[in-house]
Amino acid sequence: MDTPLFLADRHALPQVLALKQKIERLSEKGYAFGHQDTTSYGVGWRHDQDKYTSDVFKVVGDFPLVYGFDIGQIEHQKDKNLDNVPFNDMRALIQKAHADGGIITISWHADNPVSKGDSWEVTPAVQHILKGGSHFRIYKEWLKRVANFLLSLKDKNGLLIPVAFRPFHEMNGAWFWWGNPHCSSAAYKALWGQTLLMLADEFGVHNLLYVYAPNLVFTEAEYLMNYPGDHGVDMLGLDLYQHGTAKAFKKILKTNVEVLKVIAENLNKPYALTEIGLDKLNEAQWWSEILDHTVVGTGIAWVLLWRNDSEKHFFVPYPDQLSARDFKIFSQMPHILFLSDKKV
Ligand code: BMA
């Protein structure tokens, strides 16, 4: 794939282009394994200074290649994110993952700037936070705090760490205030453009690769409904969870990956499954027979499994979990890239 010469942020730092090229290279070798909050906590443990681990590491002896984090609550200058991860720990874990050669991706479960409820509080807000709207100033203040955190992500030489940034995700669903039923596509696109411009031009954030990521779609048109345009997006994502049977999920996954691949190839952008998983993993062979079977050879850059909160909410096995054996087999497949695979 030839990397286009432009990035969504025209003043993006060289390390952002390097990140994009790394993502493109790895998708030619296979796909990377990613996990949300992998070093922040897992089933039955939380990160502390002397214990650097991950449920992925506990089961397979290796770390993911892609590390997901979420900055929800940074907009209020809180000490911890919405899942109780202290932002100071998060920064240190990002620095460590980056130093180890991992790829960092960040989402933002922002609170509702109008109602002050959480992301799932769907009082219409998007139209009010656009320039000229009644809540623009609040939004701008919140975005400044986002910018401050992103600009604090520096490596040991003081260089900014490049981040695949995935704001306002799953916008074609009804559950977030930025979702389609609660704002028009035009307003969503305006919010995307405004966010990018403000982060880059006003707050000087130039370490971001912008990822657009709808939830499950049925058609290309649906995928593109809120697409902010080629010049505002660097990478295409898609979020998809298994809610029904394995058979039904495989079919949906196959269709979605096909849609994503066709669009991404047309637009010449890398693409990934930016969230995926089966909560509680009650399928012993989920990794090899369901996930890999459908994703292998499709050019997907990564799969990012969602977080391991507790025995009631987890997407990656912990030791002795039903799918742990299969996960180990999956992790050893040569086309699935973990941190120690120095293939990229
Ligand atoms: C959701 C759930 C929530 C969590 C949120 C943000 O999918 O895991 O428990 O707060 O993501 O991480």
Side-chain angles (χ1 to χ4, degrees):
M1 192 187 290
D2 291 330
T3 305
L5 292 174
F6 68 87
L7 288 165
D9 171 9
R10 293 312 166 105
H11 301 286
L13 292 162
Q15 53 269 42
V16 178
L17 185 60
L19 170 63
K20 190 174 178 203
Q21 289 166 334
K22 176 170 171 166
I23 293 168
E24 287 166 348
R25 268 200 316 279
L26 77 81
S27 66
E28 283 160 14
K29 307 243 157 77
Y31 61 94
F33 183 80
H35 186 209
Q36 184 75 3
D37 285 347
T38 198
T39 47
S40 305
Y41 54 80
V43 174
W45 63 272
R46 290 194 81 87
H47 168 76
D48 70 50
Q49 245 64 305
D50 327 301
K51 192 172 58 197
Y52 185 80
T53 191
S54 145
D55 282 343
V56 173
F57 181 77
K58 288 182 185 209
V59 176
V60 306
D62 202 349
F63 286 91
L65 183 53
V66 178
Y67 291 71
F69 296 90
D70 193 281
I71 55 171
Q73 295 300 301
I74 199 79
E75 65 273 17
H76 303 301
Q77 286 182 308
K78 291 266 175 67
D79 294 340
K80 294 179 177 173
N81 85 344
L82 75 166
D83 299 316
N84 279 317
V85 181
F87 284 110
N88 285 338
D89 287 356
M90 192 187 294
R91 183 183 304 104
L93 293 172
I94 288 172
Q95 287 162 334
K96 161 87 174 133
H98 174 72
D100 288 348
I103 291 172
I104 310 300
T105 180
I106 292 183
S107 50
W108 179 25
H109 281 82
D111 277 357
N112 185 317
V114 170
S115 69
K116 307 291 187 296
D118 62 20
S119 301
W120 295 266
E121 204 296 304
V122 294
T123 299
V126 174
Q127 72 223 62
H128 303 300
I129 60 177
L130 296 177
K131 204 159 191 162
S134 55
H135 289 66
F136 174 72
R137 286 178 66 87
I138 292 176
Y139 176 74
K140 189 173 170 185
E141 186 60 33
W142 286 11
L143 204 56
K144 172 104 183 96
R145 294 168 180 166
V146 168
N148 288 343
F149 182 75
L150 295 169
L151 290 172
S152 76
L153 303 176
K154 293 190 175 161
D155 70 12
K156 61 177 191 320
N157 300 316
L159 286 178
L160 280 158
I161 295 173
V163 170
F165 186 49
R166 187 171 61 96
F168 305 123
H169 61 302
E170 302 173 9
M171 78 304 291
N172 56 330
W175 43 92
F176 295 136
W177 55 262
W178 57 85
N180 273 138
H182 320 296
C183 74
S184 66
S185 290
Y188 179 88
K189 292 177 195 177
L191 174 63
W192 185 281
Q194 169 180 292
T195 302
L196 197 161
L197 266 178
M198 282 168 63
L199 283 173
D201 295 352
E202 223 157 311
F203 303 133
V205 181
H206 299 300
N207 53 330
L208 304 181
L209 190 74
Y210 284 84
V211 187
Y212 167 76
N215 191 60
L216 180 156
V217 295
F218 291 98
T219 61
E220 288 172 38
E222 188 182 351
Y223 186 92
L224 291 169
M225 191 161 74
N226 301 285
Y227 184 58
D230 277 353
H231 291 274
V233 174
D234 296 305
M235 180 169 177
L236 302 181
L238 189 89
D239 293 6
L240 195 63
Y241 287 91
Q242 180 177 336
H243 294 295
T245 63
K247 194 168 168 224
F249 179 66
K250 276 179 88 163
K251 197 163 166 238
I252 293 171
L253 180 57
K254 189 164 184 286
T255 316
N256 274 265
V257 169
E258 274 164 16
V259 168
L260 182 60
K261 183 177 162 74
V262 168
I263 295 174
E265 284 180 353
N266 271 336
L267 300 177
N268 195 21
K269 296 187 193 291
Y271 49 106
L273 288 163
T274 39
E275 283 187 35
I276 192 164
L278 167 63
D279 201 353
K280 294 191 279 292
L281 285 163
N282 62 353
E283 301 262 0
Q285 319 286 329
W286 193 80
W287 302 97
S288 54
E289 284 180 12
I290 298 173
L291 182 63
D292 183 59
H293 203 254
T294 324
V295 170
V296 62
T298 57
I300 289 284
W302 70 67
V303 292
L304 183 113
L305 281 295
W306 204 240
R307 63 199 201 97
N308 272 21
D309 178 56
S310 66
E311 277 181 36
K312 296 196 176 94
H313 185 48
F314 65 91
F315 295 88
V316 157
Y318 46 90
D320 299 327
Q321 197 275 332
L322 177 71
S323 72
R325 255 173 90 93
D326 186 51
F327 185 55
K328 186 138 193 163
I329 294 168
F330 166 88
S331 74
Q332 287 161 351
M333 296 180 185
H335 64 280
I336 303 174
L337 310 172
F338 281 69
L339 186 66
S340 74
D341 293 314
K342 299 283 180 213
K343 300 169 194 123
V344 289

